[in-house]
Amino acid sequence: MQSTLTLKMTMFYGALFVAVSILSLYGTRKAIESYAESVIRREMAVGSALFDRIAILQFHQLGQAGNVLAGDFGFREAVGTGDVPTIESALHSLRGRFQLDRAIFVGVDGTLAGDLSQISVRERTQLYDALDAGQQQGIVRWAGESHMVAAARIQAPALMGWVVFARNMGPRDLQALAKLTSIDLAPQLVPRADKSGVGIKTREVEQDGKRILIQSRAVPTLIKSDRELLVLKYSLTDALASYSPILWALFGFGGLGGITAIVGAWVASRNLTKPIVALERAARKVSAGEHAEVNVETRDEIGRLARSFNRMVNAVETRERQIAHMAFHDSLTGLANRVLLREQIALALQRPGGSGFALFCLDLDNFKGVNDTLGHPTGDALLCEVATRLTQTCPNGFIARLGGDEFAIIVQDGCTSADQTGRSLVKALGRPFAVNGHRIVTGTSVGISLAPQDGRDATSLLKNADLALYRAKHDGKASHRFFESTMDAEAQARRAMEVDLHDALNKGELELHFQPLFGLSQNRVTAFEALLRWNHPVRGMVSPADFIPLAEETGLIIPIGEWVLHEACRIAGTWASDIRIAVNISPVQFRNSMLNSIVLQALARSGLEPQRLELEITESLFIDNVEATLASLHSLRALGVRVALDDFGTGYSSLSYLRSFPFDKLKIDRSFIVDLLAHDGATAIIRAITSLADALGMETTAEGVESSEQLDILRAEGCGQIQGYLFSRPIPASEVDALLCKLDEKRVAA
Ligand code: C2E
Ligand code: MG
Ligand code: MG
């Protein structure tokens, strides 16, 4: 780039200078030419004038000399007497005295005496005629040579003749004239053939490759018919030749100036393009991802451009750093993100002779509840607090937030200290947090994988720590678990089951079984509980205890639950109108905003009266968000359906919410019923529950009644309904009628 721009500018300025030089050289030459021509013309005018003056002088002198002789008495007498020898002698002596070339006597009768050599008879006659016509002076050409001629009249008193004196006007004489002008005009007297104009004429001719300026003008002749020209010549080429040193000097200086201009333009454009080249180089570096700054100190536009460029580069780098930081860090907590964590794991694995490390995966227990009840800003603040606490607990660990309420930590230590760290983490996050004026208790579950034995790459280490975390959560939250190889197989089995479960609904592998609830006071079956069965083509009958948690985890419980509601209502619609149907509602289903409309649809489609439908929910719903749970329960109740609390006594029981929401029924968990025969205390618990339910206007159902002894105690303790193998195991819908008949018969028999 530098070369082209510099070259372009150099060529431009160089060419400009050369053009200007050529123009000025041409102009100078033209000016010199016209000056030289004007000088020559002036000198020619001077020469011409000089010739006139000399001619006048010569004619005057010749005339004077002639008068001297014509006035001489002796001479006149000799003329009068026709004494030719005397005339000739007098002429001869005067010729010597006045340095004449010829002295001639012309008689009135036409006789001539004196120097007449080489003058033809015609020329003599012409001379006489001219004199006779009164001519007195002028140029005459005799014997091929020009002569200045002046005549004096000889009168005594009558005209007797003329004394004619002549001086040669040959090249030498003209040369003498030329000496009087400043340049040699090579004057020449030339006879002229034509008789056209007599004015001064100047023309330029080419002779032997030279430009010659020629001026010609007529000079006065003695014989009228003669024409004589004074010709002045001067070579313009020679005249200009005298100026050629100047032109050469100009040319030389022009050349020198041209070289100087080219060098100067090159240096100037190089100086100009140097910063541009530096900018271009820097820009290329920056685009290649390197750091580059331009060092231009000037205060001109280029300097300003360079400073702007540097500012731009710095801004781009800052932004790049920010973007890179954003790409590798979590914007909320400032911790590393999953991408950076994976990189760190890969680095730690590559470290030569590395002693191995532990990878901790953490998941907050009940974070969703915090978000739902206290709002996202508080949830975010809690996550920041958690990040701080993790940093304090593992100051040497590499901590990352994987998203949501998931965190991961790399700690370089062995298995025993990993166990210690896991314990510390559970403990640290188990302590209550004070966030935005709220006291929040959230535990954490921790899964741990150890490198290199649990994985040789980031993906498997993270997956295994996640499996351990899953186990920790399932084994009861707020605990830590190490990865075990069986977890992987379990996870795979779970995954396979998940895939199968996905298809189960569409393939019609799900069906409902029904278990009767026997009303003790009514002494008849008052209801059936719908219990889901999965008739797997390979696994056989799969227990809901095995697949419901998976369906809840994957969200499949939503479509499955919807199907259960529709199916249960449809079948119950075929029964006698005094038999209810109880349907289990999973917490996941319960929290789904569509539940109400699904229940309504199921009722509408089956035509079942709402009060014949009993929804069973579990106490775990109250752990998360009591307010929201109560609101949802009331809205369900508003549909006219009944609500029962399933597995009562196993979970997070609180008298306050029993008071806040009047359940239609409490289902006493099977564990209490089993205990009935084992120790007496259990009877007291049953009694307490039934009297509490009575007080709150709720019915009671005892679950899992298998023996008549249990039945007797329950009856004695005021329990309203019995459900259990004692009466019937869950049966397919097709067997319901037969069962009802059989139970009726039993009753009749009893
Ligand atoms: P659950 O609602 O407490 O249902 C009662 C469970 O106790 C049933 O187990 C039933 O077969 C069993 N059972 C009844 N009488 C006896 C007895 O005398 N002895 C013993 N040992 N067990 C008895 P099942 O059918 O395996 O269901 C287990 C759990 O799966 C249910 O507990 C319920 O929580 C859940 N479940 C079943 N079907 C559905 C459903 O359609 N939706 C939802 N969300 N959960 C369901
Ligand atoms: Mg139930
Ligand atoms: Mg139950």
Side-chain angles (χ1 to χ4, degrees):
M1 154 175 173
Q2 179 183 21
S3 57
T4 40
L5 201 58
T6 309
L7 197 72
K8 270 185 195 168
M9 287 174 76
T10 308
M11 272 167 58
F12 174 75
Y13 286 112
L16 196 69
F17 186 87
V18 168
V20 168
S21 297
I22 288 173
L23 265 177
S24 63
L25 212 64
Y26 181 75
T28 310
R29 204 188 129 87
K30 277 283 156 203
I32 286 173
E33 251 176 48
S34 81
Y35 173 72
E37 202 176 312
S38 75
V39 166
I40 293 165
R41 278 174 193 273
R42 204 170 55 237
E43 282 305 313
M44 280 177 166
V46 169
S48 191
L50 267 175
F51 179 82
D52 286 347
R53 292 220 140 253
I54 288 165
I56 290 167
L57 219 67
Q58 290 267 2
F59 289 135
H60 182 72
Q61 274 181 6
L62 290 171
Q64 284 296 101
N67 283 339
V68 169
L69 189 59
D72 184 80
F73 183 75
F75 183 71
R76 277 198 297 211
E77 204 178 49
V79 170
T81 55
D83 181 0
V84 174
T86 310
I87 290 171
E88 284 197 333
S89 135
L91 286 172
H92 185 76
S93 75
L94 252 101
R95 197 176 77 163
R97 185 139 59 100
F98 288 108
Q99 295 160 349
L100 303 170
D101 290 311
R102 285 183 198 264
I104 299 167
F105 165 74
V106 181
V108 230
D109 54 353
T111 53
L112 280 89
D115 307 316
L116 292 168
S117 61
Q118 290 183 312
I119 299 177
S120 67
V121 175
R122 190 174 147 265
E123 285 166 347
R124 290 176 196 188
T125 315
Q126 281 176 336
L127 176 63
Y128 170 77
D129 289 347
L131 294 174
D132 190 43
Q135 288 290 338
Q136 283 195 317
Q137 59 191 41
I139 307 283
V140 178
R141 184 164 291 273
W142 287 320
E145 282 198 353
S146 309
H147 293 80
M148 294 270 197
V149 175
R153 292 160 70 92
I154 309 162
Q155 284 178 307
L159 180 68
M160 295 158 68
W162 297 269
V163 174
V164 176
F165 285 174
R167 266 201 199 125
N168 216 338
M169 242 347 205
R172 221 173 335 109
D173 308 278
L174 284 168
Q175 215 50 53
L177 164 75
K179 294 234 168 62
L180 293 173
T181 57
S182 63
I183 52 173
D184 183 4
L185 293 171
Q188 257 182 307
L189 281 169
V190 185
R192 199 181 59 175
D194 68 287
K195 295 181 168 47
S196 59
V198 291
I200 298 174
K201 272 190 189 160
T202 311
R203 69 206 148 90
E204 196 187 305
V205 294
E206 183 104 11
Q207 272 177 16
D208 307 328
K210 283 185 173 182
R211 294 167 61 199
I212 312 278
L213 208 61
I214 298 176
Q215 194 188 72
S216 58
R217 63 170 273 248
V219 290
T221 49
L222 188 76
I223 296 147
K224 275 286 152 225
S225 60
D226 278 358
R227 289 285 180 274
E228 197 72 20
L229 288 177
L230 172 68
V231 176
L232 300 176
K233 274 190 193 173
Y234 196 76
S235 160
L236 207 56
T237 308
D238 291 345
L240 287 175
S242 63
Y243 290 102
S244 68
I246 296 175
L247 286 173
W248 276 116
L250 272 176
F251 184 76
F253 281 119
L256 263 177
I259 291 166
T260 314
I262 287 169
V263 171
W266 189 77
V267 170
S269 52
R270 230 186 113 81
N271 282 344
L272 203 69
T273 53
K274 217 152 99 181
I276 297 176
V277 170
L279 271 167
E280 191 257 357
R281 248 184 237 138
R284 212 175 315 162
K285 266 187 163 183
V286 169
S287 65
E290 291 173 46
H291 174 82
E293 273 193 32
V294 195
N295 197 11
V296 178
E297 298 293 326
T298 53
R299 303 182 69 78
D300 54 14
E301 287 84 347
I302 290 182
R304 285 205 297 276
L305 176 65
R307 281 188 286 281
S308 298
F309 177 85
N310 289 343
R311 272 198 299 276
M312 184 192 76
V313 167
N314 285 331
V316 166
E317 284 177 353
T318 310
R319 231 160 296 155
E320 254 177 21
R321 274 197 295 278
Q322 283 168 352
I323 291 168
H325 190 269
M326 275 160 67
F328 292 109
H329 291 84
D330 165 43
S331 58
L332 177 67
T333 58
L335 293 176
N337 65 8
R338 189 184 288 273
V339 180
L340 190 53
L341 176 81
R342 294 180 71 92
E343 247 175 46
Q344 285 296 318
I345 295 174
L347 273 177
L349 284 167
Q350 278 165 16
R351 208 163 290 147
S355 58
F357 58 90
L359 175 66
F360 298 80
C361 275
L362 293 82
D363 191 297
L364 299 188
D365 301 332
N366 186 32
F367 177 70
K368 194 182 176 316
V370 174
N371 252 351
D372 289 347
T373 47
L374 304 176
H376 284 269
T378 306
D380 287 353
L382 174 66
L383 289 174
C384 293
E385 285 297 317
V386 168
T388 313
R389 223 173 256 188
L390 290 178
T391 317
Q392 288 162 352
T393 313
C394 290
N396 300 322
F398 180 88
I399 307 171
R401 182 178 166 221
L402 306 181
D405 58 346
E406 288 175 60
F407 294 84
I409 308 173
I410 305 171
V411 179
Q412 304 274 344
D413 51 18
C415 184
T416 37
S417 51
D419 185 58
Q420 198 65 50
T421 308
R423 225 178 282 279
S424 321
L425 285 168
V426 170
K427 204 174 151 197
L429 298 193
R431 290 200 314 273
F433 288 89
V435 179
N436 290 352
H438 300 283
R439 183 173 180 276
I440 301 173
V441 183
T442 174
T444 187
S445 307
V446 181
I448 309 163
S449 63
L450 299 170
Q453 62 266 40
D454 292 345
R456 297 197 167 272
D457 56 72
T459 307
S460 47
L461 279 170
L462 272 167
K463 188 194 80 186
N464 292 340
D466 228 35
L467 288 172
L469 173 63
Y470 180 85
R471 171 62 62 83
K473 276 200 177 282
H474 269 255
D475 289 359
K477 298 172 176 181
S479 62
H480 72 285
R481 290 286 179 275
F482 280 92
F483 168 74
E484 290 159 20
S485 50
T486 52
M487 289 177 183
D488 209 10
E490 284 164 20
Q492 274 173 21
R494 238 192 345 261
R495 176 89 197 117
M497 198 194 232
E498 188 186 324
V499 173
D500 289 352
L501 187 58
H502 204 272
D503 295 338
L505 192 58
N506 301 331
K507 287 183 178 165
E509 290 169 11
L510 296 182
E511 62 182 271
L512 288 182
H513 281 198
F514 298 90
Q515 188 176 33
L517 277 75
F518 196 84
L520 288 179
S521 54
Q522 298 92 334
N523 196 29
R524 65 173 178 88
V525 174
T526 54
F528 280 92
E529 180 176 6
L531 293 162
L532 192 54
R533 295 291 177 264
W534 180 8
N535 201 353
H536 192 278
V538 180
R539 298 170 207 254
M541 228 20 134
V542 184
S543 160
D546 292 335
F547 71 87
I548 294 279
L550 183 70
E552 286 175 333
E553 263 171 47
T554 55
L556 277 171
I557 193 69
I558 302 289
I560 290 175
E562 187 176 348
W563 177 82
V564 169
L565 263 170
H566 276 281
E567 186 69 358
C569 290
R570 185 183 67 78
I571 293 171
T574 65
W575 300 337
S577 62
D578 57 353
I579 297 176
R580 294 196 183 107
I581 177 77
V583 177
N584 292 287
I585 302 293
S586 143
V588 177
Q589 242 180 312
F590 186 81
R591 288 192 203 101
N592 187 276
S593 58
M594 297 297 287
L595 181 61
N596 278 24
S597 58
I598 291 168
V599 169
L600 269 180
Q601 271 177 25
L603 288 172
R605 207 174 287 174
S606 62
L608 197 76
E609 293 98 67
Q611 68 274 13
R612 284 181 65 199
L613 176 62
E614 195 165 78
L615 303 179
E616 295 189 5
I617 61 151
T618 55
E619 289 171 323
S620 62
L621 277 180
F622 290 93
I623 297 172
D624 289 356
N625 188 349
V626 178
E627 297 295 314
T629 303
L630 288 176
S632 304
L633 283 174
H634 280 290
S635 72
L636 272 180
R637 170 67 67 70
L639 301 178
V641 299
R642 289 162 55 91
V643 183
L645 187 56
D646 205 355
D647 306 337
F648 181 71
T650 51
Y652 190 73
S653 304
S654 162
L655 288 180
S656 73
Y657 62 71
L658 279 187
R659 207 184 49 190
S660 306
F661 187 81
F663 288 99
D664 295 290
K665 180 191 281 180
L666 298 181
K667 291 189 81 176
I668 306 165
D669 191 67
R670 195 172 74 90
S671 53
F672 297 103
I673 312 304
V674 172
D675 285 352
L676 279 179
L677 302 175
H679 54 87
D680 296 340
T683 315
I685 293 175
I686 299 294
R687 192 181 308 140
I689 295 173
T690 53
S691 45
L692 173 75
D694 271 350
L696 293 171
M698 302 173 186
E699 297 174 8
T700 46
T701 300
E703 292 187 282
V705 181
E706 294 183 357
S707 67
S708 47
E709 287 90 340
Q710 288 168 330
L711 174 63
D712 292 342
I713 299 170
L714 288 164
R715 196 195 298 270
E717 296 305 332
C719 189
Q721 285 175 330
I722 303 295
Q723 179 181 3
Y725 295 169
L726 177 65
F727 288 100
S728 169
R729 288 181 174 260
I731 51 163
S734 56
E735 294 172 19
V736 166
D737 282 345
L739 176 80
L740 284 173
C741 286
K742 197 181 97 189
L743 286 177
D744 272 347
E745 278 168 20
K746 243 190 193 174
R747 203 176 47 179
V748 170

